[in-house]
């Protein structure tokens, strides 16, 4: 699933590529992806211009000039790939493609989704804040005003939670998933099964430092294409070579030479080094 660095990469790219463009036409081949009647969706969206694209957690917000916002959640395997007019289409543009936005200048935006868990919603601009309040997303970890004091206050509320599950719960912190929770915990030398209430303040601080270090670092390299993720140009992210534990089960730890292991926690995988991250 695209996490904060991947979704933020796409947001930044699309802001440069499609802002101020008018949506001339929309093709929809998978109606269940659009969470309202297609005739209503087409009527509202067609002819509108994109003012800007923002993000909350892992959700992209396409702000239109007609008072509506398109919310796009890529979920497990969603992609948004832009192609300018006259650009020859690639396999990744047409494979598993379910929605195409055609812009007035001939360019297109392809919404692909292999597993079909993603969605598109329309919400009035004035109701968007309330929508996200109902979703109860936690704070944005990359914001400067998200401090260690804030993180400590949140984490102290969930003493019985296992730290891996705490980090990927979007109501605690927004945007962190399997990849970066594993990497943050390795950075902090904390075992993913540790209970939050057992952690010392120094360990909690190290986890916070890992969040503030690893997420911007992954964003710098346009995310991790360990699974299905591609950026808005259809390119893979470049952070995979820098991953220390995620998806490296059976390989040597880059720090101590031990063997990376994987375990299941609540149906989710956790990768860790048993020598560096003791239970």
């Amino acid at each position: 699933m695209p996490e904060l660095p991947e979704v933020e990469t796409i947001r930044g790219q699309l802001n440069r590529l499609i802002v101020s463009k008018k949506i001339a036409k929309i093709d929809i081949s998978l109606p269940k992806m659009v969470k309202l009647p297609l005739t209503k969706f087409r009527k509202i969206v067609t002819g509108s211009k994109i003012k800007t694209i923002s993000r909350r957690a892992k959700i992209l917000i396409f702000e239109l000039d007609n008072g509506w916002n398109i919310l796009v959640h890529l979920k497990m395997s969603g992609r948004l790939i832009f192609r300018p007019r006259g650009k020859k289409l690639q396999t990744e543009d047409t494979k598993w493609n379910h929605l195409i936005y055609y812009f007035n200048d001939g360019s297109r935006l392809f919404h692909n989704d292999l597993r079909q868990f993603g969605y598109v919603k329309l919400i009035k601009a004035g109701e968007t804040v309330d929508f996200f309040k109902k979703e109860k997303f936690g704070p944005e970890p990359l914001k400067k005003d998200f401090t260690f004091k804030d993180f400590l206050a949140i984490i102290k509320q969930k003493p019985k939670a296992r730290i891996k599950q705490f980090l990927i719960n979007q109501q605690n912190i927004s945007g962190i998933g399997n990849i970066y929770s594993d990497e943050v915990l390795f950075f902090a030398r904390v075992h993913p099964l540790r209970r939050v209430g057992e952690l010392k303040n120094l360990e909690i601080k190290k986890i916070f430092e890992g969040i503030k270090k690893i997420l911007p670092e992954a964003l710098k390299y346009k995310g991790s294409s360990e699974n299905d993720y591609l950026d808005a140009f259809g390119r893979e992210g470049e952070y995979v070579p820098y991953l220390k534990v995620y998806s490296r089960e059976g390989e040597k730890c880059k720090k101590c030479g031990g063997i990376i292991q994987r375990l299941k926690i609540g149906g989710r995988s956790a990768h860790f080094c048993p020598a560096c991250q003791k239970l």
Side-chain angles (χ1 to χ4, degrees), residues 58-80:
K58 302 176 187 177
I59 299 176
L60 290 165
I61 307 163
F62 291 63
E63 300 179 30
L64 307 179
D65 69 347
N66 60 3
W68 289 84
N69 290 340
I70 305 173
L71 305 188
V72 180
H73 200 319
L74 299 174
K75 290 286 186 175
M76 294 294 293
S77 58
R79 298 168 173 172
L80 290 172

Side-chain angles (χ1 to χ4, degrees), residues 194-207:
R194 293 274 302 279
R195 300 280 183 185
V196 166
E198 302 169 353
L199 298 175
K200 299 174 183 177
N201 273 16
L202 284 176
E203 292 175 311
I204 296 172
K205 189 169 186 180
K206 198 69 177 175
I207 292 170

Side-chain angles (χ1 to χ4, degrees), residues 59-244:
I59 299 176
L60 290 165
I61 307 163
F62 291 63
E63 300 179 30
L64 307 179
D65 69 347
N66 60 3
W68 289 84
N69 290 340
I70 305 173
L71 305 188
V72 180
H73 200 319
L74 299 174
K75 290 286 186 175
M76 294 294 293
S77 58
R79 298 168 173 172
L80 290 172
I81 300 177
F82 173 83
R83 296 299 181 201
R85 180 178 184 176
K87 175 75 173 181
K88 185 179 179 181
L89 298 186
Q90 308 296 317
T91 302
E92 59 265 25
D93 302 331
T94 56
K95 198 173 185 181
W96 310 307
N97 186 63
H98 305 305
L99 194 152
I100 308 173
Y101 300 88
Y102 295 87
F103 299 107
N104 59 320
D105 64 352
S107 59
R108 292 148 293 178
L109 183 65
F110 296 84
H111 188 163
N112 306 330
D113 195 339
L114 166 63
R115 301 190 188 182
Q116 302 179 10
F117 292 135
Y119 67 72
V120 175
K121 291 183 179 180
L122 262 184
I123 293 184
K124 288 183 178 179
E127 298 173 0
T128 306
V129 172
D130 288 337
F131 171 83
F132 285 112
K133 280 184 179 178
K134 289 177 184 177
E135 293 292 316
K136 298 180 180 178
F137 288 122
E140 292 287 335
L142 291 188
K143 284 195 171 182
K144 290 183 180 179
D145 60 2
F146 178 59
T147 66
F148 175 64
K149 184 179 178 181
D150 299 324
F151 182 65
L152 189 62
I154 296 167
I155 204 169
K156 292 291 187 181
Q157 294 174 14
K158 306 287 179 68
K160 294 182 180 179
R162 298 197 186 277
I163 186 59
K164 165 77 175 185
Q165 291 172 304
F166 173 87
L167 289 175
I168 64 176
N169 186 330
Q170 299 302 291
Q171 292 186 359
N172 296 327
I173 306 172
S174 293
I176 300 175
N178 267 355
I179 298 174
Y180 301 108
S181 59
D182 284 353
E183 294 300 303
V184 165
L185 291 177
F186 177 79
F187 174 86
R189 300 176 69 90
V190 172
H191 194 286
L193 286 178
R194 293 274 302 279
R195 300 280 183 185
V196 166
E198 302 169 353
L199 298 175
K200 299 174 183 177
N201 273 16
L202 284 176
E203 292 175 311
I204 296 172
K205 189 169 186 180
K206 198 69 177 175
I207 292 170
F208 177 76
E209 289 172 1
I211 292 170
K212 288 290 192 177
K213 175 181 184 294
I214 290 167
L215 293 182
E217 198 172 73
L219 178 57
K220 175 184 173 183
Y221 288 95
K222 301 180 178 62
S224 304
S225 291
E226 182 60 35
N227 299 308
D228 301 302
Y229 164 71
L230 297 175
D231 71 8
F233 295 99
R235 304 177 303 204
E236 292 188 348
E238 300 171 354
Y239 194 64
V240 168
Y242 301 94
L243 296 174
K244 303 296 191 300

